[in-house]
């Protein structure tokens, strides 16, 4: 017998409107450590499992009737968590938590709670003490609700997953991660040794006409985003120990220069290439580690004791120190400007900071945003943020010894992950086209032995607008 994680009760059901309201109670606790399984978030996978269970156990339809979830989906389907993450939205349009009770339990409550609770006659012992919440669910077909009646209750061995929870309003602004629109293979046109080489940077030109790619060994490719043909393939030289790349503001000139740290001045040496002319050129030195799309704001590391950055213009001084963690040491690992330059996003190992570029001040933050943040890119107005991070799904997906990255898209209005895609690779670079936000480019680095950092990086280009899937 499986251990129940939740108790589920139907509070109201309206098949005509494709809606059901559920009460979900936490029925699994560890009273010794004062912990419990968390309430489900608003992703649909757990609720698909709830409805599937109820259909299997409580449907009055004949066993051979294909019209219920219990008949359409097999046990193998519902226990394939990767399949559920990908396909739950075919059956559940959205989930909203409308009320929460007893979360977290008080010390007095903990003294009265047990580790396990099981459904008996449609109820659970100590219901008034249990952590619980109410949810509104909208499904895609009334058949998924036809078997439900008000008051129906059951125990569930399901647990929270990390599926998508975007809405129809989000959809036009989000990349369709189900299938790349294009796959770019920059090293396929390279001659000579590619040992240790991989994609280090991706940057769209300010007008979105080109995507520039820079490798660890100073190779540069430029792609025309109108048809994704290779416009240029040149070598910036191998003297850059760690190359940095940026576009000259308002032009189609791409620059490569050397990495610099907070305790040394930036050496004013660079390589520049005019994509339209097809030749190397001389341009004013492009200062900083990163710049905003309009070129007004640039970013350089500082010695402020936080592992952070200063905002400045084309000249290093005057600068504005961005105090992102109130003086505590929280070194920034990745950063990006929104396409309209109004926001700067700073990602430490675990924490995410949002900076108003005009004020130079942190205006929002997400603590413990991820176990590890690696790369990020913002859409034009900063309302959505793509982040390459450690997978949230290691607890229920099998990867063996390797630990690939997941691409998560955050809706910054409420700081929720609304879209995710589990890759079988590392994510080495991200870029979101800054003007129309039409493209998201993702540098994918193999983790297989013999292919890692050996000129095998691919760039997946995703267009906007996820398919609804039904």
């Amino acid at each position: 017998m499986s251990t129940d994680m939740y108790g589920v009760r139907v509070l109201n059901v309206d098949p005509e409107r494709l809606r059901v309201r559920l009460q979900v109670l936490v029925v699994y606790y560890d009273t010794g450590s004062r912990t419990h399984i968390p309430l489900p978030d608003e992703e649909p996978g757990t609720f698909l499992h709830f409805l599937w269970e109820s259909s299997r156990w409580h449907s009055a339809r004949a066993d051979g009737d294909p019209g219920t979830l219990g008949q359409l989906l097999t046990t193998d389907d519902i226990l394939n968590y990767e399949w559920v993450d990908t396909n739950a939205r075919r059956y559940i349009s959205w989930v909203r938590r409308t009320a929460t009770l007893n979360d977290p339990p008080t010390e007095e409550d903990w003294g009265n709670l047990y580790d396990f609770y099981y459904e008996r006659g449609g109820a659970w012992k100590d219901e008034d003490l249990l952590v619980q919440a109410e949810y509104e669910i909208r499904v895609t077909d009334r058949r998924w609700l036809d078997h439900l009646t008000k008051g129906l209750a059951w125990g569930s061995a399901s647990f929270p997953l990390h599926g998508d929870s975007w809405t129809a309003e989000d959809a036009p602004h989000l990349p369709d991660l189900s299938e790349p629109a294009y796959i770019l293979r920059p090293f396929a046109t390279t001659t000579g040794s590619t040992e240790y080489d991989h994609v280090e940077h991706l940057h769209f030109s300010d007008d979105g006409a080109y995507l520039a790619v820079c490798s660890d060994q100073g190779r540069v490719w430029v792609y025309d985003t109108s048809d994704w043909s290779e416009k240029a393939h040149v070598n910036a030289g191998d003297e850059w120990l760690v190359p940095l790349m940026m576009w000259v503001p308002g032009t189609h000139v791409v620059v490569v220069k050397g990495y610099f740290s907070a305790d040394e001045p930036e050496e004013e040496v660079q390589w520049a290439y005019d994509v339209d002319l097809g030749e190397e050129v001389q341009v004013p030195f492009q200062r900083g580690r990163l710049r905003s799309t309009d070129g007004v704001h640039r970013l350089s590391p500082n010695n402020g004791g936080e592992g952070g950055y200063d905002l400045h213009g084309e000249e290093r001084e005057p600068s504005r120190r961005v105090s992102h963690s109130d003086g505590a040491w929280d070194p920034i690992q990745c950063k990006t400007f929104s396409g309209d330059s109004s926001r700067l996003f700073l990602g430490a190992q675990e924490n995410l900071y949002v900076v108003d570029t005009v004020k130079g001040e942190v205006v929002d933050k997400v603590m413990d945003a991820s176990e590890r943040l690696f790369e990020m890119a913002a859409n034009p107005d900063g309302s959505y943020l793509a982040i390459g991070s450690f997978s949230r799904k290691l607890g229920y997906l099998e990867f063996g010894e390797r630990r690939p990255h997941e691409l998560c898209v955050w809706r910054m209005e409420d700081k929720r992950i609304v879209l995710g895609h589990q890759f079988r690779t590392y994510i080495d670079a991200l870029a979101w086209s800054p003007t129309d936000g039409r493209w998201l480019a993702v540098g994918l680095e193999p983790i297989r032995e013999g292919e890692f950092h050996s000129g095998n990086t691919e760039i997946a280009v995703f267009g906007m607008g996820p398919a609804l899937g039904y």
Side-chain angles (χ1 to χ4, degrees):
M1 180 178 179
S2 298
T3 300
D4 286 347
M5 299 291 161
Y6 299 111
V8 186
R9 177 179 290 121
V10 178
L11 298 178
N12 194 26
V13 59
D14 188 346
E16 292 296 330
R17 298 180 62 223
L18 306 178
R19 298 195 179 196
V20 60
R21 185 158 59 95
L22 297 179
Q23 178 186 21
V24 179
L25 306 100
V26 173
V27 297
Y28 180 81
Y29 299 83
D30 185 334
T31 55
S33 65
R34 296 295 197 259
T35 59
H36 61 83
I37 191 169
L39 285 163
D41 206 342
E42 295 180 348
E43 65 86 26
T46 307
F47 293 87
L48 175 63
H49 199 144
F50 290 160
L51 295 183
W52 177 85
E53 289 171 323
S54 66
S55 178
R56 295 277 284 196
W57 300 337
H58 300 290
S59 177
R61 291 176 181 263
D63 288 344
D65 191 322
T68 68
L69 284 176
Q71 297 300 323
L72 287 172
L73 303 182
T74 67
T75 302
D76 287 342
D77 290 332
I78 210 70
L79 294 182
N80 181 338
Y81 302 120
E82 188 167 16
W83 184 93
V84 172
D85 273 349
T86 302
N87 292 283
R89 285 190 55 86
R90 294 174 179 268
Y91 306 95
I92 296 181
S93 299
W94 52 256
V95 179
R96 298 287 182 273
R97 187 192 295 185
T98 58
T100 305
L101 186 65
N102 301 331
D103 190 18
T106 65
E107 191 62 31
E108 182 181 357
D109 289 341
W110 276 118
N112 294 309
L113 286 168
Y114 296 91
D115 285 348
F116 307 105
Y117 292 87
Y118 291 99
E119 183 262 335
R120 297 291 184 268
W124 289 264
K125 179 180 171 63
D126 301 327
E127 279 196 28
D128 59 320
L129 298 179
L130 301 182
V131 174
Q132 55 194 274
E134 295 181 10
Y135 298 85
E136 293 281 351
I137 297 99
R138 191 176 194 275
V139 300
T140 60
D141 193 306
R142 66 164 293 156
R143 291 175 295 167
W144 317 151
L145 305 179
D146 273 348
H147 66 285
L148 297 179
T149 57
K150 183 177 180 180
L152 181 68
W154 63 96
S156 174
S158 181
F159 56 86
L161 301 179
H162 295 290
D164 300 341
S165 59
W166 49 269
T167 67
E169 289 74 23
D170 296 317
H173 312 287
L174 301 179
D176 181 0
L177 299 179
S178 64
E179 187 72 32
Y182 299 92
I183 292 287
L184 310 178
R185 297 179 174 87
F187 290 98
T189 60
T190 294
T191 59
S193 174
T194 56
E195 189 175 7
Y196 306 122
D197 210 358
H198 60 282
V199 168
E200 188 76 28
H201 301 287
L202 299 173
H203 291 299
F204 284 95
S205 59
D206 297 345
D207 58 4
Y210 296 117
L211 174 69
V213 180
C214 182
S215 83
D216 180 66
Q217 302 299 313
R219 293 181 171 95
V220 175
W221 299 263
V222 180
Y223 294 92
D224 186 329
T225 61
S226 66
D227 59 5
W228 294 100
S229 60
E230 185 179 277
K231 177 73 172 180
H233 181 188
V234 288
N235 198 323
D238 57 8
E239 66 267 29
W240 320 108
L241 181 60
V242 179
L244 296 172
M245 180 183 71
M246 64 175 62
W247 291 91
V248 177
T251 74
H252 291 156
V253 176
V254 65
V255 165
V256 175
K257 58 181 184 172
Y259 180 91
F260 63 101
S261 62
D263 56 0
E264 62 186 17
E266 186 175 10
E267 185 179 3
E268 296 191 14
V269 178
Q270 67 185 14
W271 170 93
Y273 184 84
D274 189 311
V275 178
D276 295 330
L277 296 178
E279 61 185 37
E280 295 183 26
V281 294
Q282 297 294 319
V283 295
F285 182 71
Q286 299 301 300
R287 196 174 300 279
R289 290 261 195 96
L290 183 72
R291 71 164 178 86
S292 59
T293 304
D294 58 10
V296 172
H297 307 289
R298 294 173 185 261
L299 207 59
S300 294
N302 63 37
N303 282 311
E306 295 177 294
Y309 285 84
D310 290 344
L311 275 169
H312 57 88
E314 292 185 1
E315 297 301 323
R316 181 68 181 86
E317 302 294 340
S319 63
R320 293 165 290 157
R321 179 158 295 169
V322 179
S323 182
H324 64 278
S325 59
D326 300 323
W329 178 248
D330 197 17
I332 297 303
Q333 310 295 318
C334 49
K335 59 271 180 193
T336 188
F337 286 94
S338 60
D340 64 5
S341 305
S342 66
R343 289 290 182 266
L344 166 66
F345 299 92
L346 301 174
Q349 288 199 3
E350 300 174 352
N351 304 320
L352 171 64
Y353 302 93
V354 184
V355 177
D356 182 311
T357 54
V358 174
K359 298 178 180 179
E361 298 175 356
V362 173
V363 293
D364 209 347
K365 62 180 68 174
V366 183
M367 309 308 288
D368 299 318
S370 170
E371 189 175 343
R372 181 67 187 272
L373 305 172
F374 292 103
E375 299 290 338
M376 59 173 59
N379 77 329
D381 64 1
S383 55
Y384 296 92
L385 188 65
I387 296 180
S389 60
F390 272 154
S391 172
R392 301 169 295 163
K393 307 179 182 185
L394 292 179
Y396 58 89
L397 297 184
E398 181 57 51
F399 296 124
E401 296 180 0
R402 300 295 186 179
R403 188 170 188 172
H405 295 167
E406 182 185 4
L407 178 63
C408 297
V409 180
W410 290 70
R411 183 175 58 211
M412 295 310 298
E413 180 182 11
D414 54 5
K415 277 79 71 181
R416 286 184 177 274
I417 297 173
V418 296
L419 178 64
H421 182 77
Q422 180 61 60
F423 287 101
R424 293 309 197 258
T425 65
Y426 294 142
I427 296 174
D428 273 1
L430 288 172
W432 206 323
S433 50
T435 48
D436 56 11
R438 182 182 177 188
W439 304 110
L440 178 68
V442 185
L444 301 176
E445 177 66 19
I447 60 178
R448 295 181 295 272
E449 187 174 355
E451 296 188 35
F452 177 71
H453 285 184
S454 296
N456 291 294
T457 312
E458 295 183 343
I459 301 168
V461 181
F462 297 97
M464 295 302 114
L468 291 178
Y470 57 86

